[in-house]
């Protein structure tokens, strides 16, 4: 009867976006493309703004990603050697401006624990630097495999109330680390702090595949950084190249693929793009990038 199956009398082609959202909760089979279609239509109707849609897209993305996709690789980990005295490792902490540091013994495959900058600050305030001991301050290091799904890891971060995990490969060797901020930036975009404002960079790595790119970055500088060979007639900057690809001055939140690289407009004004978020292709594009 139609009362038992209210969707059976109408074809899917005539369904409104409200009908489609309702379908999410009825147990009917769905795929990712259909979900994107629902929220694209909602954004076009101004029922949700672009920022909200982008966050929803980010949530859907992390459900398909693994820790290996965003982890900070072993070579870029900022660590402290357990044998170092305070006067040696304190400059490392200050220069990096991080809040958490893996403490290692001998090499990065032997992580003894995590040192929080706030724990060290409180200890030094009450006890000074004399007789300092890591044993009193180290918090346990959480170890996870590269293959762990990001959505599950985010739940674990919230449930267990930790913010950093050490990542190991299939052989048990440390391959990198991941933080809760790395995952949140996939959902809400780049999280800037006072250091980002004071010390801006034309190209800055956010996660393994995501970079913050100043739109005024010269194409030559971009090519040197990413080993690409992009060219465009009468255009010198990445912002200009991306604008040309759009064919119009894009609004904040708009995104486009250029030779397999995804560019999202993070900030702009009425005249030009100011800041971009770029996601690397998972596989190298065969097109070297020449715009005529």
């Amino acid at each position: 009867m139609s009362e038992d199956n209210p969707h059976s009398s109408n074809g899917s082609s005539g369904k409104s976006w409200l009908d489609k959202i309702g379908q999410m909760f009825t147990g009917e089979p769905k795929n990712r493309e259909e979900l994107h279609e629902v929220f694209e239509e909602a954004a076009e109707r101004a029922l949700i703004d672009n920022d909200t849609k982008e966050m929803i897209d980010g949530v859907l993305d992390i459900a398909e990603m693994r820790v290996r996709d965003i982890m900070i690789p072993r070579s870029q980990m900022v660590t402290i050697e357990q044998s170092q005295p305070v006067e040696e490792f304190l400059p490392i902490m200050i220069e990096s401006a991080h809040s958490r540091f893996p403490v290692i013994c001998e090499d990065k495959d032997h992580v003894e624990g995590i040192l929080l900058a706030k724990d060290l600050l409180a200890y030094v305030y009450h006890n000074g630097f004399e007789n300092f001991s890591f044993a009193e301050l180290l918090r346990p290091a959480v170890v996870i495999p590269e293959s762990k799904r990001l959505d599950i890891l985010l739940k674990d971060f919230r449930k267990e109330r930790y913010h950093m995990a050490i990542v190991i490969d299939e052989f048990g060797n440390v391959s990198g680390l991941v933080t809760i901020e790395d995952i949140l930036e996939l959902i809400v975009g780049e999280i800037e702090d006072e250091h980002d404002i004071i010390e801006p960079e034309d190209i800055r790595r956010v996660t393994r595949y995501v970079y913050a790119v100043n739109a005024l970055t010269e194409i030559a500088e971009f090519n040197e950084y990413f080993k690409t060979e992009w060219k465009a007639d009468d255009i010198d900057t990445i912002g200009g190249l991306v604008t040309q690809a759009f064919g119009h001055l894009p609004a904040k939140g708009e995104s486009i693929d250029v030779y397999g690289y995804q560019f999202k407009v993070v900030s702009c004004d009425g005249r030009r793009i100011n800041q971009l978020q770029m996601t690397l292709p998972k596989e190298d594009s065969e097109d070297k990038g020449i715009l005529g």
Side-chain angles (χ1 to χ4, degrees), residues 94-114:
I94 294 172
E95 182 179 357
S96 70
H98 294 168
S99 59
R100 292 169 174 81
F101 300 84
V103 176
I104 64 174
C105 178
E106 297 181 2
D107 59 38
K108 292 180 180 179
D109 284 325
H110 299 84
V111 178
E112 301 299 315
I114 305 298

Side-chain angles (χ1 to χ4, degrees), residues 225-239:
Y225 192 100
F226 292 105
K227 309 303 180 186
T228 51
E229 298 177 11
W230 293 13
K231 297 179 183 178
D233 293 341
D234 301 321
I235 295 176
D236 298 320
T237 67
I238 287 298

Side-chain angles (χ1 to χ4, degrees), residues 246 250-255 263-268 273 275-276:
F246 271 109
K252 177 181 178 181
E254 286 193 67
S255 61
F263 288 88
K264 174 184 173 183
V265 179
V266 175
S267 66
C268 60
I273 300 171
Q275 190 71 24
L276 293 160

Side-chain angles (χ1 to χ4, degrees), residues 24-286:
M24 296 183 203
F25 307 100
T26 62
E28 294 183 14
K30 298 294 179 297
N31 57 45
R32 181 174 174 145
E33 287 69 28
E34 290 176 340
L35 290 177
H36 277 296
E37 181 184 344
V38 170
F39 295 112
E40 284 282 357
E41 186 173 346
E44 290 174 2
R45 293 172 177 265
L47 297 169
I48 60 175
D49 58 30
N50 278 327
D51 288 342
T52 301
K53 187 187 78 67
E54 291 296 332
M55 284 193 286
I56 293 171
D57 288 341
V59 171
L60 295 176
D61 287 340
I62 68 170
E64 295 189 348
M65 297 177 71
R66 306 283 175 168
V67 170
R68 67 171 67 93
D69 296 323
I70 70 163
M71 69 180 185
I72 298 169
R74 176 189 177 112
S75 61
Q76 296 181 23
M77 289 171 54
V78 179
T79 60
I80 295 171
E81 171 61 51
Q82 192 174 28
S83 61
Q84 286 180 299
V86 177
E87 57 267 23
E88 285 189 14
F89 70 72
L90 192 56
I92 297 174
M93 299 178 70
I94 294 172
E95 182 179 357
S96 70
H98 294 168
S99 59
R100 292 169 174 81
F101 300 84
V103 176
I104 64 174
C105 178
E106 297 181 2
D107 59 38
K108 292 180 180 179
D109 284 325
H110 299 84
V111 178
E112 301 299 315
I114 305 298
L115 176 64
L116 272 61
K118 68 176 184 178
D119 290 347
L120 177 64
L121 182 62
Y123 178 91
V124 170
Y125 177 79
H126 292 290
N127 305 291
F129 291 110
E130 295 183 3
N131 301 317
F132 170 80
S133 173
F134 278 111
E136 299 183 44
L137 296 180
L138 287 189
R139 300 196 182 194
V142 176
V143 179
I144 60 172
E146 290 182 349
S147 58
K148 191 177 184 74
R149 280 171 40 186
L150 289 186
D151 55 343
I152 295 176
L153 177 59
L154 182 58
K155 291 178 182 178
D156 290 345
F157 273 143
R158 294 178 58 196
K159 181 180 178 181
E160 304 298 331
R161 301 183 66 182
Y162 59 90
H163 291 246
M164 175 185 285
I166 303 299
V167 184
I168 59 173
D169 61 23
E170 58 185 313
F171 303 106
N173 299 317
V174 171
S175 55
L177 63 79
V178 64
T179 69
I180 190 171
E181 184 178 272
D182 295 329
I183 303 178
L184 293 178
E185 286 186 333
L186 293 176
I187 300 174
V188 302
E190 180 185 358
I191 300 174
E192 296 184 343
D193 58 25
E194 63 274 17
H195 300 287
D196 299 325
I197 296 173
I198 293 173
E199 300 176 1
E201 300 177 35
D202 287 341
I203 301 173
R204 185 166 61 83
R205 182 180 182 277
V206 178
T207 68
R208 184 178 183 183
Y209 291 105
V210 179
Y211 288 78
V213 180
N214 188 317
L216 294 178
T217 301
E218 297 285 334
I219 294 176
E221 180 183 350
F222 182 95
N223 286 336
E224 182 178 358
Y225 192 100
F226 292 105
K227 309 303 180 186
T228 51
E229 298 177 11
W230 293 13
K231 297 179 183 178
D233 293 341
D234 301 321
I235 295 176
D236 298 320
T237 67
I238 287 298
L241 186 147
V242 171
T243 300
Q244 184 184 66
F246 271 109
H248 64 273
L249 182 63
K252 177 181 178 181
E254 286 193 67
S255 61
I256 191 170
D257 283 355
V258 180
Y259 306 122
Y261 293 68
Q262 183 186 69
F263 288 88
K264 174 184 173 183
V265 179
V266 175
S267 66
C268 60
D269 53 37
R271 296 173 297 143
R272 62 175 182 267
I273 300 171
N274 296 320
Q275 190 71 24
L276 293 160
Q277 177 179 290
M278 188 195 75
T279 303
L280 297 177
K282 295 300 177 64
E283 298 180 358
D284 292 336
S285 173
E286 294 182 0

Side-chain angles (χ1 to χ4, degrees), residues 1-30:
M1 294 178 62
S2 61
E3 292 181 356
D4 295 328
N5 188 7
H7 299 289
S8 61
S9 60
N10 295 324
S12 59
S13 60
K15 292 177 181 175
S16 70
W17 74 271
L18 282 173
D19 294 324
K20 295 174 183 176
I21 289 180
Q23 284 183 346
M24 296 183 203
F25 307 100
T26 62
E28 294 183 14
K30 298 294 179 297

